[in-house]
């Protein structure tokens, strides 16, 4: 009876979440309703989010060149080899790899992702990097793909593949991050080989074609009860065979040299490539995701004077507080003061 009462009390919140980027089928009985999704609720959200994203992108089109816009429309990503002049990149790489800052890391399967937040304090010690991430070319690409004049969250990210015996890294399964467009960007500081766990993306999979929408509908009907945790939370997984049935090309692996920038829409199918051996990938990594239904391009909270440069520390403090309150465990564990290429510490995840 108490559970029923709680369900009724929370019902208005569950319904209100439909107008946000909320995506979890298992945590929201409205979003996860088999009956409603069979009737087209999930697909309606996908369609409307895509239409709003295109509306905003038309207003941001002058942020990048016509050539880059065409590449994005075709593929769902933009690639820039030799993004920085060689001398400038060499100096930036030396500065970044020599930087030691407070890090957090997360273990998934046999891989560890470690991040050093590029907050205001870090960027004062990394002037070359600060200049790069504040440059019109970088910001223009991230904001156009992200469909907002957003303030991206930026990190120094290190990916350690096959650091232990264990289940396969779940990020190696092709998936979409959410039901709506969002952006991630990588400036690779190290060369990435075919067998070193490269970023993988299915070109053109960002478009809401009729086949894609039919697949979204089928998966959404039973997603709340999916045995795959990530799918049930709204990050839908897909097999290579299904990708082909949707009429999409083979995934592209970004085996690229250092100083390559990739900016991609995460509604497209993507993954981390399987690493054939223990490997390390170091990159400048940026992320941006906002409410997909807003009819304006600005007003990003992360850009507000008291928040800009502090958004990531605020977030980490909030999830630490939630863990201390017994609400949820923070998957991002403190990893001490480290440089980007320092070995991953497995002891962080024990206990």
């Amino acid at each position: 009876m108490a559970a029923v009462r709680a369900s009724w009390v929370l019902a208005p919140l569950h319904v209100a979440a439909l107008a946000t980027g909320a995506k979890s089928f298992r945590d929201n009985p409205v979003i996860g309703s088999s009956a409603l999704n069979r009737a087209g609720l999930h697909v309606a959200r996908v369609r409307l989010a895509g239409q709003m994203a295109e509306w905003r992108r038309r207003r941001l089109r002058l942020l990048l060149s016509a050539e880059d816009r065409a590449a994005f429309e075709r593929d769902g990503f933009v690639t820039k080899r030799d993004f920085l002049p060689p001398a400038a990149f060499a100096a930036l790489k030396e500065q970044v790899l020599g930087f030691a800052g407070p890090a957090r890391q997360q273990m998934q399967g046999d891989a560890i992702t470690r991040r050093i937040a590029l907050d205001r304090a870090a960027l004062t010690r990394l002037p070359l990097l600060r200049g790069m991430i504040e440059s019109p070319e970088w910001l223009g690409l991230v904001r156009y793909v992200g469909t907002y004049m957003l303030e991206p969250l930026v990190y120094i990210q290190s990916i350690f593949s096959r650091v232990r015996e264990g289940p396969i890294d779940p990020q190696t399964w092709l998936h979409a991050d959410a039901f709506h467009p969002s952006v991630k960007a990588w400036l690779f500081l190290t060369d990435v080989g075919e067998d070193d766990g490269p970023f993988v993306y299915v070109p053109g999979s960002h478009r809401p074609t009729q086949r894609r929408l039919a697949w979204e509908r089928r998966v959404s009907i039973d997603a709340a009860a999916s045995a795959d945790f990530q799918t049930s939370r709204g990050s839908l997984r897909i097999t290579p065979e299904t990708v082909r049935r949707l009429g999409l090309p083979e995934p592209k692996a970004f085996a690229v040299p250092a100083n390559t920038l990739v900016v991609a829409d995460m509604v497209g199918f993507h993954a981390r490539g399987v690493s054939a051996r223990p490997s390390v990938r170091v990159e400048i990594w940026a992320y941006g995701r906002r409410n997909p239904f807003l009819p304006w391009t600005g007003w990003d909270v992360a850009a507000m004077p008291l928040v800009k440069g502090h958004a990531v520390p605020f977030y980490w403090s909030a999830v630490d507080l939630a863990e201390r309150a017994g609400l949820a465990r923070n998957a991002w564990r403190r990893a001490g003061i480290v440089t980007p290429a320092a070995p991953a510490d497995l002891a962080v995840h024990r206990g």
Side-chain angles (χ1 to χ4, degrees), residues 29-337:
V30 178
I31 290 173
S33 168
S34 294
L36 292 175
N37 288 329
R38 188 174 288 108
L41 173 63
H42 175 70
V43 169
R45 296 182 83 214
V46 173
R47 284 182 184 275
L48 180 57
Q51 291 165 358
M52 294 301 297
E54 290 308 304
W55 187 89
R56 291 189 298 269
R57 283 189 182 125
R58 286 195 293 272
R59 282 145 184 80
L60 300 174
R61 64 188 182 279
L62 297 182
L63 292 178
L64 69 171
S65 68
E67 180 183 5
D68 287 342
R69 287 199 305 273
F72 173 77
E73 295 303 319
R74 181 186 67 241
D75 298 325
F77 57 81
V78 178
T79 306
K80 295 278 191 179
R81 293 205 178 201
D82 299 316
F83 179 64
L84 295 174
F89 176 73
L92 180 146
K93 178 179 177 179
E94 180 180 12
Q95 190 176 87
V96 171
L97 294 184
F99 175 78
R104 299 276 183 133
Q105 66 183 45
Q106 180 184 65
M107 178 179 287
Q108 292 182 296
D110 61 359
I112 284 177
T113 300
R114 188 172 68 205
R115 293 176 185 164
I116 299 172
L118 292 175
D119 57 12
R120 190 173 298 177
L123 289 173
T124 59
R125 298 167 55 195
L126 295 165
L128 298 178
L129 181 54
R130 180 174 184 171
M132 192 274 289
I133 66 174
E134 291 180 351
S135 68
E137 187 173 12
W138 162 277
L139 281 174
L141 282 164
V142 170
R143 287 172 170 172
Y144 180 83
V145 174
T147 83
Y148 284 101
M149 290 294 290
L150 52 80
E151 190 73 23
L153 305 182
V154 190
Y155 305 79
I156 305 170
Q157 177 168 273
S158 305
I159 307 292
F160 301 87
S161 297
R162 302 191 66 174
V163 294
R164 64 166 186 165
E165 293 295 327
I168 191 169
D169 175 6
Q171 297 304 319
T172 60
W173 299 357
L174 284 170
H175 62 280
D177 279 6
F179 68 92
H180 61 88
S182 62
V183 64
K184 288 180 181 174
W186 297 257
L187 177 68
F188 297 104
L189 298 183
T190 52
D191 295 338
V192 183
E194 289 277 359
D195 297 329
D196 293 335
F199 174 60
V200 172
Y201 196 97
V202 178
S205 62
H206 64 304
R207 292 190 290 267
T209 63
Q210 289 303 310
R211 287 185 182 182
R212 169 71 182 267
L213 292 173
W215 174 84
E216 293 270 354
R217 179 182 176 277
R218 289 195 300 272
V219 175
S220 70
I221 291 170
D222 299 315
S226 174
D228 177 70
F229 178 73
Q230 298 295 341
T231 291
S232 72
R233 292 292 302 276
S235 179
L236 302 183
R237 266 48 187 169
I238 189 168
T239 66
E241 293 75 21
T242 303
V243 166
R244 287 190 284 272
R245 286 201 296 272
L246 296 185
L248 293 167
E250 292 298 309
K252 172 182 172 59
F254 287 83
V256 294
N259 197 18
T260 297
L261 173 67
V262 178
V263 185
D265 185 347
M266 295 291 97
V267 79
F269 298 126
H270 61 280
R272 184 181 300 155
V274 177
S275 184
R277 56 188 171 274
S279 62
V280 182
R281 201 177 85 197
V282 183
E283 58 219 14
I284 305 303
W285 184 83
Y287 164 80
R289 184 193 297 171
R290 294 187 64 191
N291 184 323
F293 302 117
L294 299 178
W296 53 78
T297 60
W299 298 98
D300 187 0
V301 172
M304 294 174 63
L306 294 179
V307 180
K308 184 174 181 178
H310 300 294
V312 175
F314 286 166
Y315 167 72
W316 279 344
S317 295
V319 290
D320 285 343
L321 181 61
E323 182 174 57
R324 288 195 295 271
L327 300 177
R329 186 177 187 274
N330 180 10
W332 290 97
R333 314 308 293 175
R334 296 178 188 272
I337 306 295

